[in-house]
């Protein structure tokens, strides 16, 4: 998320438990931000700016996770004010970091120069980097003084807006209204949302992996750093859900972020000094321009530029080694297993929930969309007939059959919100609904089957799919294929198809459709939706 932008609509439904969890996390982040205001205003210690910038980043990373819990007007106003202060703090903090780096670099280079052997009588050795460092320091200090005014102006605007006070009052009021911990939230709501959020961030970061070995992929390395930062902040928000609070992956991701941060700092210096050199090459020098670098300073800048380029090469090698070490130790697979099975006990559901109770709750949720209830029931009936007919092929269990039943009863529940992309809405509802007594793997299975019942969507396109073991992935593809065909056979929502009889062949599966009326349209629709079936079962589907 870039400064000044507001993320798009949240795909997670505003369940009461999700908002309860947000109220456990957001006030802490807001207080951490508010504590630093006076220190930043006094500007006596650069660490105040640093801590406040980190606090704003954490708060801006957390708010989108719970945006469904607030009105659109509230959320947009908060995010805009946070974006404004983050931008001002970011520019000031970057200048502070650069000044601190140059001072440290100056001290280190002078110390190294003194250790070099010098001919007798030559006096104190001259540090060849000094002219460049002094020039850059003078420019940065002047800029930092100007930026402090922007920081103070942004702080004044923030306080005038009253956003901090409004957020504190709202958080306190809503938190006091919750008299007890909602246990369904702990067991059924938060774990799925937490896994979805973290896995989404992880997939984004790993999407840049092909660029890791290339030293000149500057933009991609910077994007990887931003993705690692967002993954880290998201894991911090949801860490309390898991054993050891995700301590190990948090440390590793922070290390990736830090190494890439050092790499980015090198890129910033390389770009900055290169621009200075190019500017000086194209301008005629006059005696009155004392502020421009002289020839000694330009030579020193060239030396500094070469050193930063060498440093970047070494840092890139360090980054590649560290990234590869995480792959060898299967860190990402381990994290995904933790998301599925590594929750603290209080975030685990009751293992004794009976099928009858689950079926009752699923039916109650499906009944919230009465217009679609008949289609839900008939499509589910057809899907289960297909499941039973093809038992020798797929060899799945009664529990798998029950999950298909649940997905069938809920596959169009998103239609009660809107018809367009209702399969996405159905999946989002299944993932977030705290009344549905599914543990995480079963909830994801039901949601992905429902997602894939129409359109071009397949389960593999969803961020949850890589989270699951291969045997469950295979089952999801096959179950989704059955529901797709069944949904096609009730395309007109008339319940015309009464029975399905399938004959299993070596290269194809032929299904005879029994109906008292003409179902040509339904058959054609089912054929058009059979591509996933062919891929999942390895055989052509023939509908007769």
């Amino acid at each position: 998320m870039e400064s000044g932008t507001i993320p798009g609509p949240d795909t997670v439904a505003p369940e009461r438990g999700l908002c309860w969890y947000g109220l456990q996390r957001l006030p802490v982040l807001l207080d951490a931000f508010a504590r630093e205001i006076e220190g930043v205003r006094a500007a006596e210690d650069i660490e105040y700016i640093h801590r406040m910038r980190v606090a704003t980043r954490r708060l801006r990373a957390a708010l989108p996770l719970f945006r469904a819990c607030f009105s659109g007007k509230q959320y947009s106003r908060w995010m805009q004010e946070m974006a404004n202060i983050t931008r001002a703090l970011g520019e000031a903090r970057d200048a502070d970091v650069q000044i601190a780096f140059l001072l440290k670099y100056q001290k280190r280079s002078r110390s190294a120069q003194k250790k070099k052997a010098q001919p007798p009588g030559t006096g104190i050795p001259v540090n060849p980097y000094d002219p460049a460092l002094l020039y850059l320091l003078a420019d940065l200090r002047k800029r930092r003084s100007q930026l402090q005014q922007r920081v103070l102006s942004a702080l004044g605007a923030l306080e005038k807006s009253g956003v901090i006070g409004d957020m504190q009052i709202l958080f306190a009021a809503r938190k006091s209204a919750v008299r007890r911990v909602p246990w369904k939230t702990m067991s059924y709501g938060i774990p799925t949302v937490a896994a979805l959020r973290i896995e989404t961030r992880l997939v984004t970061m790993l999407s840049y992996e092909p660029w890791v070995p290339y030293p000149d992929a500057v933009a991609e390395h910077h994007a990887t750093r931003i993705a690692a930062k967002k993954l880290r902040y998201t894991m911090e928000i949801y860490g309390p859900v898991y054993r050891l609070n995700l301590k190990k992956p948090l440390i590793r991701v922070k290390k990736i972020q830090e190494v890439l941060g050092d790499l980015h700092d090198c890129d910033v210096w390389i770009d900055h000094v290169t621009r200075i050199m190019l500017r000086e090459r194209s301008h005629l020098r006059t005696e009155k321009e004392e502020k421009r670098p002289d020839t000694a300073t330009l030579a020193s800048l060239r030396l500094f530029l070469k050193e930063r380029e060498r440093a970047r090469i070494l840092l890139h090698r360090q980054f590649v080694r560290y990234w590869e070490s995480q792959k060898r130790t299967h860190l990402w697979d381990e994290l995904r297993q933790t998301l599925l099975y590594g929750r603290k006990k209080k975030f685990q559901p009751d293992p004794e929930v009976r099928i009858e109770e689950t079926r009752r709750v699923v039916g109650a949720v499906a009944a919230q969309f009465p217009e679609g209830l008949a289609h839900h029931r008939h499509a589910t009936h057809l899907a289960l007939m297909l499941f039973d007919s093809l038992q020798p092929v797929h060899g799945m269990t009664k529990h798998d059959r029950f999950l298909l039943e649940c997905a069938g009863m809920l596959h169009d529940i998103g239609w009660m919100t809107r018809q367009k992309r209702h399969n996405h809405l159905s999946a989002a509802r299944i993932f977030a609904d705290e009344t549905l007594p599914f543990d995480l793997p079963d909830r994801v299975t039901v949601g992905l089957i429902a997602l894939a019942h129409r359109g071009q969507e397949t389960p593999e396109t969803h961020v949850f799919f890589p989270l699951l073991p291969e045997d469950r992935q295979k089952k999801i593809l096959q179950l989704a294929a059955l529901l797709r065909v069944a949904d096609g056979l009730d395309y007109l929502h008339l319940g015309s198809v009464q029975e399905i009889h399938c004959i299993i062949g070596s290269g194809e599966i032929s299904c005879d459709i029994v109906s008292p009326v003409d179902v040509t349209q339904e058959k054609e629709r089912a054929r058009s939706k059979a591509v996933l079936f062919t891929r999942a079962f390895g055989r052509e589907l023939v509908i007769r």
Side-chain angles (χ1 to χ4, degrees):
M1 181 170 58
E2 300 300 327
S3 294
T5 62
I6 297 174
D10 197 350
T11 57
V12 174
E15 293 290 330
R16 185 172 65 92
L18 172 69
C19 301
W20 168 83
Y21 188 80
L23 291 174
Q24 313 309 305
R25 309 297 295 161
L26 292 174
V28 177
L29 299 176
L30 183 61
D31 291 344
F33 168 77
R35 278 198 304 270
E36 307 300 334
I37 291 177
E38 292 306 317
V40 170
R41 182 179 283 108
E44 295 175 355
D45 187 341
I46 63 172
E47 286 306 306
Y48 286 109
I49 283 269
H50 171 58
R51 290 194 296 267
M52 191 175 192
R53 184 193 192 189
V54 171
T56 58
R57 282 179 166 178
R58 285 195 167 106
L59 191 56
R60 288 186 71 210
L63 278 172
L65 304 179
F66 307 103
R67 71 170 299 173
C69 303
F70 309 105
S71 72
K73 186 176 180 180
Q74 284 175 327
Y75 176 80
S76 297
R77 179 166 168 260
W78 295 348
M79 289 298 290
Q80 191 59 61
E81 293 296 336
M82 289 295 129
N84 292 340
I85 190 66
T86 301
R87 191 182 306 111
L89 291 170
E91 292 173 347
R93 175 59 183 169
D94 288 344
D96 286 338
V97 169
Q98 289 174 327
I99 290 170
F101 169 80
L102 290 175
L103 291 172
K104 185 177 180 180
Y105 190 97
Q106 187 181 54
K107 183 178 180 181
R108 189 171 64 244
S109 60
R110 285 176 176 176
S111 176
Q113 194 68 22
K114 287 179 182 179
K115 293 178 181 178
K116 290 184 178 179
Q118 298 290 326
T122 57
I124 300 174
V126 176
N127 178 18
Y129 294 104
D130 265 357
L133 299 177
L134 292 172
Y135 175 80
L136 293 171
L137 275 168
D139 185 57
L140 275 171
R141 282 169 172 155
K142 179 181 178 182
R143 173 171 167 74
R144 180 61 182 85
S145 178
Q146 296 169 344
L147 289 172
Q148 182 62 19
Q149 296 305 311
R150 294 189 192 178
V151 171
L152 294 177
S153 177
L155 277 177
L158 180 67
E159 292 181 326
K160 185 177 180 181
S161 73
V163 159
I164 302 299
D166 291 347
M167 293 172 72
Q168 289 173 332
I169 292 170
L170 180 63
F171 292 166
R174 289 196 178 180
K175 197 170 183 180
S176 64
V178 180
R179 300 185 182 277
R180 60 185 179 85
V181 176
W183 68 268
K184 286 186 178 180
T185 291
M186 308 287 277
S187 302
Y188 301 127
I190 296 303
T192 308
V193 175
L196 176 62
R197 304 295 197 190
I198 294 171
E199 176 66 12
T200 299
R201 295 300 193 196
L202 176 61
V203 167
T204 300
M205 187 184 74
L206 295 180
S207 69
Y208 297 106
E209 186 173 30
W211 298 99
V212 167
Y214 296 100
D216 294 329
V218 174
E220 289 78 11
H221 294 158
H222 179 57
T224 308
R225 180 176 72 90
I226 299 301
K229 177 186 69 177
K230 292 182 177 181
L231 171 60
R232 176 187 162 201
Y233 289 161
T234 304
M235 287 196 296
E236 287 175 348
I237 290 292
Y238 292 111
V241 174
Y242 303 97
R243 292 193 290 268
L244 301 179
N245 294 340
L246 298 178
K247 182 178 179 181
K248 179 180 175 181
L250 272 169
I251 291 172
R252 303 290 177 82
V253 172
K254 182 181 179 182
K255 177 66 175 178
I256 289 173
Q257 182 187 344
E258 288 174 346
V259 175
L260 285 170
D262 293 339
L263 200 65
H264 177 65
D265 290 344
C266 276
D267 292 327
V268 170
W269 285 119
I270 291 168
D271 290 347
H272 182 57
V273 175
T274 299
R275 282 195 297 269
I276 293 173
M277 304 298 292
L278 291 173
R279 181 188 66 203
E280 294 304 315
R281 284 179 60 183
S282 60
H283 283 82
L284 183 66
R285 197 176 304 275
T286 66
E287 294 180 359
K288 295 181 180 180
E289 292 183 286
E290 297 179 359
K291 295 182 180 180
R292 292 177 61 188
D294 56 20
T295 53
T297 301
L298 289 172
S300 183
L301 285 168
R302 290 190 192 95
L303 195 63
F304 179 71
L305 176 61
K306 289 180 181 179
E307 190 281 330
R308 289 291 82 199
E309 289 172 338
R310 288 194 298 270
R312 193 194 190 284
I313 292 172
L314 296 177
L315 283 168
H316 177 257
R317 290 173 182 170
Q318 179 188 351
F319 166 55
V320 172
R321 287 195 300 269
Y322 192 75
W323 185 277
E324 292 298 324
S325 71
Q326 304 317 303
K327 287 181 64 178
R328 285 194 301 273
T329 56
H330 305 287
L331 175 67
W332 313 129
D333 293 335
E334 186 179 315
L335 173 58
R336 282 168 165 155
Q337 286 300 300
T338 301
L339 297 182
L340 281 175
Y341 308 111
R343 283 161 282 155
K344 292 176 181 175
K345 189 173 182 179
K346 63 182 179 181
F347 288 99
Q348 296 175 11
D350 180 3
E352 301 301 323
V353 177
R354 297 180 180 275
I355 285 180
E356 292 79 6
E357 173 62 15
T358 304
R359 183 177 281 120
R360 183 192 67 77
V361 175
V362 167
V365 173
Q368 294 174 19
F369 180 45
E371 298 88 346
L373 197 55
H375 171 66
H376 279 156
R377 288 171 176 162
H378 195 67
T380 301
H381 174 64
L382 297 177
L384 294 179
M385 277 198 289
L386 284 168
F387 181 96
D388 295 339
S389 295
L390 301 180
Q391 179 68 42
V393 178
H394 56 67
M396 284 188 267
T397 66
K398 290 182 179 179
H399 183 68
D400 300 322
R401 187 182 190 275
F402 177 64
L403 295 181
L404 174 61
E405 177 187 338
C406 295
M409 288 299 296
L410 298 172
H411 74 277
D412 270 353
I413 194 66
W415 202 321
M416 63 187 294
T417 303
R418 66 172 184 268
Q419 181 178 354
K420 186 177 181 180
R421 291 172 62 85
H422 68 268
N423 55 324
H424 290 266
L425 297 173
S426 297
R429 173 70 183 273
I430 293 167
F431 293 147
D433 194 313
E434 296 161 9
T435 65
L436 295 171
F438 296 121
D439 196 7
L440 181 56
D442 285 353
R443 185 181 294 270
V444 171
T445 298
V446 173
L448 292 183
I449 295 170
L451 173 72
H453 84 270
R454 69 180 297 274
Q456 300 299 316
E457 305 296 336
T458 62
E460 301 105 315
T461 62
H462 197 275
V463 69
F464 260 147
F465 194 75
L467 201 62
L468 302 168
E470 288 186 10
D471 59 334
R472 188 173 281 259
Q473 290 179 355
K474 180 181 178 181
K475 288 181 178 181
I476 289 173
L477 289 174
Q478 291 181 335
L479 294 172
L482 296 180
L483 184 58
R484 277 181 76 89
V485 173
D487 185 65
L489 288 173
D490 195 38
Y491 170 54
L492 299 179
H493 294 202
L494 297 176
S496 301
V497 175
Q498 294 184 345
E499 295 182 29
I500 307 172
H501 301 287
C502 295
I503 301 172
I504 302 169
S506 58
E508 65 181 30
I509 295 174
S510 300
C511 292
D512 294 317
I513 306 302
V514 178
S515 173
V517 297
D518 181 22
V519 288
T520 301
Q521 277 188 273
E522 287 89 340
K523 288 180 182 180
E524 190 58 38
R525 187 69 173 182
R527 292 186 190 104
S528 70
K529 300 178 73 170
V531 175
L532 179 59
F533 183 100
T534 301
R535 182 157 59 86
F537 288 94
R539 309 182 197 198
E540 293 288 336
L541 177 65
V542 178
I543 296 177
R544 301 185 296 201

